[in-house]
Amino acid sequence: HYGKGGFWESSEIGERDQILNKLNHRYQVTSFIAGSIFLWALYHLGLYFMRREDKASLFISLFSFFLVLRILTTGERLIGVIFPEISMDNLIRLEFSTAYIAAGVFAYFYRLVFPETLGKHSITFVFLALSPFIISLFFSVAEFSQLAIYYQVLLIFICIRIIFAILKAFKYGKTKSVLSLVGFIFIFLTVLNDTLYQNNIINTTNLIPFGFLGFILFQGYILSYGFTRAYSDIAKLKENLEISNGQLSNLKEGLEDLIVARTKELEESKINIQQLNEFARAINSTIRLEIILEKAYQYLKKDLNCDSLILFLIDEKKEMVVFHKGVFADHYDQEVEAKFSVRGFIFSHDR
C-alpha cells in the first residue's frame, strides 16, 4: 500500500450504465493519449534508425515509451485490464520506476537539444539526484512511496533548470528556442498541477499526459521547421553548386584554349630553337663567309620571309663601305647583284 492512505477522490453514486459509460470514457481518453504518444515514440525511433547520429530522436522515443507505461499504470490503471495477472505491488513499482527513469531520460534529451546551455554537470547532478529514488524501489511500497514528495520537488527543479537553459539558448536560435519554450511550458504547468493535486492542495486531476500532448504538437512543429530549413539549405546549396559548376566549366574551356595556345607557342619556340641550333652548327662547321651568309639567308627566309641578304664590309684603306656578297631570291637576275657590286658608301670615323 502507499505511504499515504485514504480516498484520493470523492465517491460517486449512480446507475450501473452511467458508471460504466464514465469508466469507458476514461478508458477511451487514456487509450487515445497513450496511443498518440506511442506512435510518436515509434516515429522518432524510426528517425533514429535512419540517422544514427541523431541521439535526440532516440531519447525522446525512450521517454515517450516510459511515459506510455506511466499513463497505463496511473489513473484507471489500464495496464491492469490488459494484464490482469499483474500484482498491485509490481504495478506500483512500475508506476514509480517509469516516473524516475523518464525524468532522467527527458533531461538528457534536452541536454542533446541544447548542449551549449545545458551542461554535462547539470545532467550528472540530475542522475545522481535520481539514484536514491531508483534504489528505493527495492524496499517496500510503503517506504519508497513516502519519497514521492521529494521526487516531485526534484522534478520541479529539473523543469526550472531546463527552462533556464532554453532561455539562454535564444542567442543561438530564436525560432527554435521560442517553440521549445512554449512546448515545455505545457509540461511545466501540468507538472505543477499534478504535484499540487497529488498532495491534496488543489482538487483537479492528473494533467501530465495532456501536457505532453501539447509538447508533442510543438515538438512536431519544431521537427517540421527543421526539415523545412534543411530542404531550403539543400536548395540553396544546389543552386550554388550549379553556379560553381558553370563557372568551372567556363574556366575549363578557357584553360583548354589557353593550353592549346600555349602548346602552339611552345611548339613554335621549339622549332625556332631547332633552326637556331642547325644554323649554329652550320656556322661552326665552316669558316667561309659565303657559306655562312647562305645559311643565314635560308634561316631568315624561312622564319622572316626574307627576300634577299646583302653583306657590306668596311674598306679602311678606301674609307668606304663596299659590297662584299649578296644572296638574292630566284626572281632577281644577275644585273641586281652587279648594281650592288659597284655601289659603295663613304665611311667617316667622325660619324
Side-chain angles (χ1 to χ4, degrees):
H1 54 83
Y2 287 102
K4 293 181 179 180
F7 288 100
W8 286 6
E9 297 179 1
S10 302
S11 299
E12 296 183 13
I13 300 175
E15 295 182 359
R16 181 175 181 274
D17 292 340
Q18 292 178 336
I19 294 175
L20 288 177
N21 288 335
K22 189 171 184 179
L23 182 61
N24 289 332
H25 176 72
R26 291 183 178 180
Y27 282 159
Q28 291 171 1
V29 173
T30 302
S31 300
F32 171 76
I33 296 174
S36 301
I37 298 176
F38 182 74
L39 291 176
W40 175 259
L42 291 179
Y43 173 70
H44 276 277
L45 190 62
L47 289 180
Y48 169 72
F49 283 125
M50 288 188 295
R51 188 168 175 264
R52 294 297 181 92
E53 60 270 18
D54 185 13
K55 297 295 181 61
S57 293
L58 173 63
F59 277 86
I60 193 61
S61 176
L62 292 176
F63 170 75
S64 299
F65 282 128
F66 285 117
L67 183 59
V68 170
L69 287 175
R70 171 74 178 173
I71 294 172
L72 296 179
T73 55
T74 56
E76 300 302 329
R77 303 187 187 278
L78 192 58
I79 197 171
V81 179
I82 302 173
F83 302 102
E85 67 276 4
I86 189 171
S87 65
M88 181 58 69
D89 184 84
N90 291 331
L91 187 61
I92 297 174
R93 293 182 189 275
L94 183 61
E95 172 191 348
F96 277 77
S97 63
T98 54
Y100 298 156
I101 298 174
V105 173
F106 192 61
Y108 194 76
F109 162 73
Y110 270 96
R111 155 70 179 158
L112 295 174
V113 176
F114 298 104
E116 302 90 355
T117 57
L118 191 60
K120 186 184 297 183
H121 296 297
S122 297
I123 298 302
T124 302
F125 171 78
V126 170
F127 289 161
L128 292 176
L130 288 172
S131 298
F133 298 101
I134 296 175
I135 295 173
S136 69
L137 295 173
F138 294 97
F139 296 94
S140 65
V141 174
E143 290 175 326
F144 71 70
S145 62
Q146 292 181 358
L147 300 178
I149 182 62
Y150 302 105
Y151 166 75
Q152 292 165 348
V153 172
L154 175 62
L155 186 60
I156 293 174
F157 169 79
I158 294 173
C159 292
I160 294 174
R161 179 63 184 91
I162 292 175
I163 291 175
F164 181 69
I166 296 174
L167 291 174
K168 287 182 63 178
F170 268 63
K171 61 181 179 181
Y172 298 102
K174 187 174 182 180
T175 303
K176 178 182 176 182
S177 299
V178 169
L179 295 174
S180 297
L181 181 62
V182 174
F184 191 77
I185 289 298
F186 281 95
I187 299 175
F188 182 59
L189 293 178
T190 54
V191 166
L192 288 177
N193 172 83
D194 288 16
T195 300
L196 297 175
Y197 168 69
Q198 292 169 9
N199 288 278
N200 298 320
I201 298 176
I202 60 176
N203 184 22
T204 54
T205 186
N206 288 318
L207 296 177
I208 283 183
F210 297 97
F212 276 98
L213 276 181
F215 167 77
I216 286 174
L217 291 176
F218 277 91
Q219 195 66 27
Y221 185 82
I222 293 173
L223 188 65
S224 300
Y225 175 76
F227 286 154
T228 302
R229 288 197 60 182
Y231 289 140
S232 177
D233 293 340
I234 290 173
K236 290 180 181 179
L237 288 174
K238 180 182 178 182
E239 183 180 353
N240 293 334
L241 184 60
E242 290 176 351
I243 294 174
S244 299
N245 287 336
Q247 293 176 347
L248 286 175
S249 298
N250 295 334
L251 181 61
K252 180 182 177 182
E253 294 175 359
L255 286 175
E256 289 176 352
D257 296 339
L258 182 62
I259 290 172
V260 171
R262 185 58 179 164
T263 302
K264 184 177 180 181
E265 292 177 0
L266 291 174
E267 290 177 352
E268 293 176 352
S269 298
K270 179 181 177 182
I271 293 173
N272 291 334
I273 292 173
Q274 290 176 348
Q275 291 175 351
L276 287 173
N277 289 335
E278 292 176 0
F279 179 62
R281 283 195 298 269
I283 292 176
N284 293 330
S285 63
T286 182
I287 58 174
R288 294 183 60 187
L289 191 58
E290 293 81 0
I291 297 175
I292 294 174
L293 190 64
E294 181 68 26
K295 293 291 184 181
Y297 171 72
Q298 295 297 331
Y299 173 75
L300 293 174
K301 180 180 179 182
K302 183 186 298 184
D303 193 57
L304 301 178
N305 196 22
C306 179
D307 184 75
S308 301
L309 181 63
I310 303 173
L311 177 63
F312 289 89
L313 297 177
I314 297 175
D315 188 342
E316 293 184 354
K317 293 181 180 180
K318 296 181 180 181
E319 293 186 350
M320 293 183 65
V321 177
V322 298
F323 173 81
H324 177 72
K325 180 68 177 176
V327 181
F328 299 92
D330 295 336
H331 60 272
Y332 290 119
D333 52 18
Q334 295 180 354
E335 293 181 358
V336 176
E337 184 176 359
K339 291 179 181 180
F340 278 101
S341 63
V342 298
R343 186 177 295 275
F345 304 97
I346 297 174
F347 172 76
S348 176
H349 291 285
D350 298 333
R351 295 183 181 178

